[in-house]
Every structure is written in C-alpha cells, then in structure tokens.
Amino acid sequence: MKLFEQVSLTQHVFCSTSMEMPSSLKKAFPSVKALPISNVIVDEKNNTIVWLHLHANQTIAAQLLEVKQKVHQARIIAMSDMPNDLEALAVFSMLAKAYCNTHAGVEVLMNIASVVEQGGIWIGESIMQKLLGQNEIEEQKLEKVLGTWSKLLTGRELEVAKAIAVGLTNKEIATQMHITERTVKAHVGAVLDKLQLKNRLQLALLVKDS
C-alpha cells in the first residue's frame, strides 16, 4: 500500500557536506538525488525542493543564502540534526519553506513536502506553540511597542535586536560587534526587559514584523 502519491511532478534534491542521504528521505521520494549545491539544476516545468542538511561550519544565513543564490527558484527545506527554536528562527528569516529533524520519519517528510508543494510553509510543533501558545505576546504589550519599539532602545541594543532577528547566536553577535558574550547577554536582557518580552523568539518576531 502506498503511503503517498504525488499529484505534481516534483524534483527532490538532498544537499549535504557531511552525511549520506537519510534512508527515510529515500523511502519517501525514491527519485531524490544527492547533489552538491553547485550541481543542482532547477527544472522550470516542475517544482524543485532542496532538502538542505545544515552543518556547523557556517552560519544558517550563509548556508541558505548560498542555496538561494545558486538555485533561487527552488523551495528550501532545512534539515537539522539537533533542531532548536533559534535555528528555526534563522531558517525562516531566510525564507526557507520548512525546517525539520534530519531523521524525521517517512510520513512526516511526505507531509512537509505536500505543504511546501502547495506553496505553504511547514512550521514544527515547538515553534508553533511559541507563536500561538502560552508564550504569545500579550496584545496590550504588543500595542505599546509595535512601531515605536526601536525608540526604546540604545544604539547598541538596537544592533543586538536586529542581529537576533536574523538568527545570530550570542557568540556570533559578540564577534560581529567586537564585544564579549557577557556584554551581549546583558544587552539581550535589557532589550527583553524594555520591550516586555519573554524570549528571543518573540523579540525576533517583533523586529521582523515592524
């Protein structure tokens, strides 16, 4: 019995610099090819989905930018060995269509591809809970800062807030701003306090929506 039948013709490509193609991805899409980014050719007649395996040698932004520059028409699904909310934030800030565990099961991968093929964005349960659940920004607080939030921050704090919005870690921000990680943490704490937010994810969403 087939678990899934593709209605549209979609080209699936797996790109990784450090691992072989996950067996579940091969089972889900038997025609999937493992190729380096430089060898991916987008078929304009059909959808092309690039399953990008993330690695630790570059920032998330740099990895996705490379794919977008080489195959800008492709839809990118980022795969992570250890998914986390901050990484997800960085992935979606670069306009990827989905973010998932590298070792996700066959049915999960099929569901993700189905959403992406139809032009949607697949957001994992954890980050969705933060967007819609108990950590949601209270409307009253949001109204206070939306549109004027940047005026509440110092120049350094604003720089940190914008860096967080593109998914940079404290270490990366420290390097970029030539300050210590301890100082970055202090800035982050001050920003969250001034804007009455609970975490970096809420801050990034506020920055991106403004």
Side-chain angles (χ1 to χ4, degrees):
M1 178 179 177
K2 293 183 179 179
L3 293 173
F4 179 83
E5 290 187 6
Q6 287 177 272
V7 175
S8 61
L9 295 176
T10 299
Q11 174 185 229
H12 293 271
V13 180
F14 175 71
C15 298
S16 175
T17 61
S18 59
M19 70 173 290
E20 295 182 355
M21 184 188 303
S23 59
S24 56
L25 186 62
K26 184 65 176 178
K27 290 179 182 178
F29 310 103
S31 63
V32 62
K33 298 178 181 179
L35 297 171
I37 295 299
S38 58
N39 290 356
V40 177
I41 299 176
V42 175
D43 185 345
E44 295 183 359
K45 296 181 180 179
N46 302 315
N47 292 327
T48 297
I49 293 179
V50 173
W51 299 81
L52 177 66
H53 177 235
L54 302 174
H55 59 79
N57 298 329
Q58 282 181 299
T59 64
I60 304 299
Q63 292 178 65
L64 269 76
L65 181 60
E66 180 181 4
V67 180
K68 292 171 72 68
Q69 289 177 334
K70 296 286 180 61
V71 285
H72 62 277
Q73 293 178 319
R75 299 174 181 180
I76 304 171
I77 297 176
M79 308 182 80
S80 173
D81 294 339
M82 298 182 66
N84 62 79
D85 292 338
L86 290 180
E87 193 173 71
L89 174 63
V91 165
F92 288 117
S93 73
M94 291 299 294
L95 304 181
K97 296 300 183 181
Y99 172 74
C100 67
N101 193 312
T102 305
H103 307 290
V106 173
E107 291 190 28
V108 172
L109 296 178
M110 289 177 172
N111 288 336
I112 294 172
S114 177
V115 170
V116 172
E117 283 180 347
Q118 296 174 51
I121 296 176
W122 194 91
I123 300 177
E125 183 178 353
S126 175
I127 193 168
M128 180 62 78
Q129 287 178 343
K130 282 185 169 57
L131 290 174
L132 301 178
Q134 60 184 2
N135 289 329
E136 185 177 11
I137 303 174
E138 296 179 15
E139 289 186 9
Q140 300 91 329
K141 292 181 178 179
L142 182 58
E143 289 176 359
K144 283 185 180 180
V145 296
L146 190 57
T148 62
W149 65 269
S150 62
K151 297 178 182 178
L152 303 176
L153 308 180
T154 66
R156 280 300 212 183
E157 289 168 351
L158 180 58
E159 192 174 348
V160 168
K162 290 180 177 179
I164 289 174
V166 296
L168 296 187
T169 64
N170 283 354
K171 184 177 181 179
E172 291 169 337
I173 296 172
T175 300
Q176 178 176 289
M177 295 179 62
H178 305 291
I179 56 179
T180 66
E181 287 188 60
R182 184 175 181 179
T183 302
V184 173
K185 290 180 181 179
H187 283 317
V188 173
V191 170
L192 294 178
D193 183 59
K194 287 182 178 182
L195 301 183
Q196 302 180 58
L197 304 177
K198 294 180 180 179
N199 54 51
R200 295 164 70 104
L201 179 58
Q202 289 184 346
L203 172 60
L205 291 172
L206 177 62
V207 175
K208 288 172 64 61
D209 287 342
S210 299

